[in-house]
Amino acid sequence: MNIGILTLQHGELNFWGERMRKILVHNDIAPILISPSDPGLIDKIKGFDFLINTWGHYSFDHQMIKTILPVVEEHLNIPCFPDRATWWSYDDKLRQKYLCDAHGYPMVPSWVFWERSDALEWLKTTDYPVVFKLKGGAGSSNVVLVKTRQQGEKLVRQMFGPGLMSGKFHWSDQSLRHRTTQFIRRMQKKAAGHESNRFWMRDKNYIMFQKFMPGNEFDMRITTIGDRAFGFLRYNRPNDFRASGSGKIEYNCEKIDRNCLEIALRISREQRFQTMTYDFLYDASGQPFFCEISYTYQDLAVFKCAGFWDSDMNYHEGHFWPEYLHLVDFLKMPELEQPDFSEEFA
């Protein structure tokens, strides 16, 4: 069995890729790391039975992966993780909105405008507050609560003018010390000859708003891996409406809404997602809606869950690294052993 792992910029593997590599080595399977800049890239990939590339939010990742993976999966017919169905909507809330609209999935009501005039007209009649989002971003980045029409119009002028780059918003919860640390890190990267800001794609000529769902003190994150569903609560940041990136997690499985589990498993099954997270909120009537989805997530947060639910809502106890379950499903190898990574957190 020949398994290739496509590296990211500067030959790096992110935390997912590195953990998958370690799991394979633990099971006496030696994956082959290959650089996307290899002059013989496609010919070498032809020799693989499987290709893994666990890419993230950075602009380089999007540019590289969306160019290479469709060729590998659709023209070389080599199974990929993630596959196109799984990564197509990744870090793109515009694609997620249209996908959910097409199938009637319960995504929080969202509005996308491709013309300045249409957005300005909508702002005259909508109810405030509304949530502005760039199509990409994680950990609550690129999300603004728009409280007035004037604030909305300012964002419209920005998005249909110079545009915005991911990470350019500065929140009240970012202290001077935090911003200074970020600046120093960027300078260190630049001195090493690396990209100082890995988010360099500019968003412009569209704008997206999402309905504000008041009264939610947390979101409910459901993560599907195959026909398994993991769940936990993420509480909002102090004096904030956003939960993503707060680190305030509760793992009480009794508080997990079975409706959310069933919705997530059904959508993942219908869309053939290898894995996906759903961030659920509730409307005023208590109906669950998810505000976005993502195929990547923090693996440790899922590992800390005490178990998972299957599609029949049976609960299975145990702690599982997502990357281990990805490989079990992707390679169709239920006999794989899960290593003990406890030394990493000693």
Side-chain angles (χ1 to χ4, degrees):
M1 179 186 299
N2 292 323
I3 301 174
I5 301 181
L6 194 61
T7 63
L8 301 174
Q9 198 169 21
H10 311 303
E12 297 174 354
L13 292 177
N14 61 15
F15 68 94
W16 268 27
E18 180 60 19
R19 198 173 300 284
M20 293 178 93
R21 186 193 69 80
K22 289 180 178 178
I23 292 169
L24 290 169
V25 170
H26 177 79
N27 284 273
D28 296 322
I29 300 172
I32 300 171
L33 272 59
I34 184 169
S35 166
S37 295
D38 192 310
L41 176 66
I42 296 300
D43 283 338
K44 290 183 178 178
I45 289 177
K46 287 179 181 179
F48 295 146
D49 300 304
F50 302 93
L51 183 68
I52 295 169
N53 181 264
T54 52
W55 52 296
H57 295 273
Y58 296 135
S59 299
F60 173 85
D61 298 352
H62 283 264
Q63 178 172 266
M64 185 259 290
I65 291 300
K66 291 179 180 180
T67 302
I68 296 172
L69 281 194
V71 174
V72 176
E73 187 173 9
E74 298 172 21
H75 296 273
L76 301 183
N77 297 314
I78 294 173
C80 294
F81 181 88
D83 60 15
R84 190 182 182 105
T86 302
W87 66 254
W88 180 82
S89 64
Y90 171 59
D91 205 30
D92 193 325
K93 298 173 184 68
L94 308 182
R95 291 186 177 190
Q96 294 168 23
K97 178 257 193 307
Y98 290 126
L99 176 67
C100 292
D101 284 354
H103 294 277
Y105 296 147
M107 185 174 180
V108 174
S110 305
W111 300 269
V112 175
F113 301 98
W114 301 96
E115 298 287 348
R116 178 199 300 255
S117 58
D118 293 334
L120 292 173
E121 283 298 313
W122 181 81
L123 288 171
K124 293 178 182 179
T125 59
T126 192
D127 294 325
Y128 294 92
V130 294
V131 179
F132 163 82
K133 293 185 174 183
L134 289 183
K135 67 180 182 180
S140 293
S141 64
N142 307 327
V143 179
V144 175
L145 187 63
V146 180
K147 298 180 180 179
T148 67
R149 174 179 162 187
Q150 289 72 27
Q151 289 177 337
E153 289 175 344
K154 182 178 180 179
L155 284 167
V156 169
R157 290 193 295 271
Q158 184 75 30
M159 291 299 291
F160 288 93
L164 283 168
M165 292 175 64
S166 184
K168 289 300 181 182
F169 297 130
H170 294 292
W171 307 110
S172 59
D173 60 352
Q174 284 190 329
S175 66
L176 175 61
R177 180 178 178 180
H178 178 71
R179 294 197 296 270
T180 301
T181 300
Q182 288 182 319
F183 174 78
I184 293 173
R185 287 176 179 172
R186 287 197 298 270
M187 293 303 98
Q188 289 173 335
K189 289 178 182 178
K190 188 173 183 179
H194 294 173
E195 187 75 40
S196 60
N197 184 358
R198 292 189 174 187
F199 298 101
W200 41 257
M201 288 183 176
R202 186 173 293 273
D203 286 79
K204 61 179 298 180
N205 294 334
Y206 77 88
I207 195 163
M208 178 179 184
F209 296 100
Q210 198 168 73
K211 182 179 179 179
F212 176 57
M213 309 287 271
N216 287 275
E217 297 180 355
F218 57 82
D219 69 15
M220 185 174 300
R221 167 156 283 201
I222 306 298
T223 302
T224 66
I225 303 176
D227 63 355
R228 314 168 193 86
F230 298 80
F232 52 81
L233 308 184
R234 302 186 303 176
Y235 286 87
N236 296 351
R237 304 175 185 204
N239 303 314
D240 202 336
F241 70 99
R242 300 166 298 162
S244 179
S246 72
K248 299 175 180 290
I249 298 177
E250 181 177 355
Y251 289 99
N252 186 349
C253 63
E254 297 300 322
K255 293 187 177 181
I256 302 302
D257 188 337
R258 301 304 189 269
N259 289 331
C260 296
L261 293 169
E262 291 173 350
I263 291 169
L265 284 167
R266 175 174 61 86
I267 295 174
S268 289
R269 180 174 61 252
E270 291 177 357
Q271 296 304 315
R272 300 179 182 177
F273 296 148
Q274 293 164 316
T275 186
M276 194 63 65
T277 62
Y278 301 78
D279 297 339
F280 282 93
L281 300 169
Y282 292 91
D283 68 5
S285 66
Q287 293 299 308
F289 291 81
F290 55 87
C291 57
E292 58 188 75
I293 62 177
S294 176
Y295 101 86
T296 67
Y297 40 86
Q298 286 296 323
D299 58 353
L300 181 59
V302 174
F303 176 78
K304 286 184 177 180
C305 292
F308 64 84
W309 289 265
D310 63 26
S311 55
D312 294 321
M313 292 297 102
N314 297 311
Y315 190 70
H316 303 262
E317 293 186 351
H319 295 276
F320 301 92
W321 288 102
E323 298 90 341
Y324 165 72
L325 297 176
H326 297 155
L327 289 170
V328 166
D329 293 346
F330 180 50
L331 303 178
K332 297 180 173 58
M333 295 182 65
E335 69 274 15
L336 282 179
E337 293 183 359
Q338 178 173 246
D340 180 4
F341 292 109
S342 58
E343 72 279 358
E344 294 184 15
F345 311 101

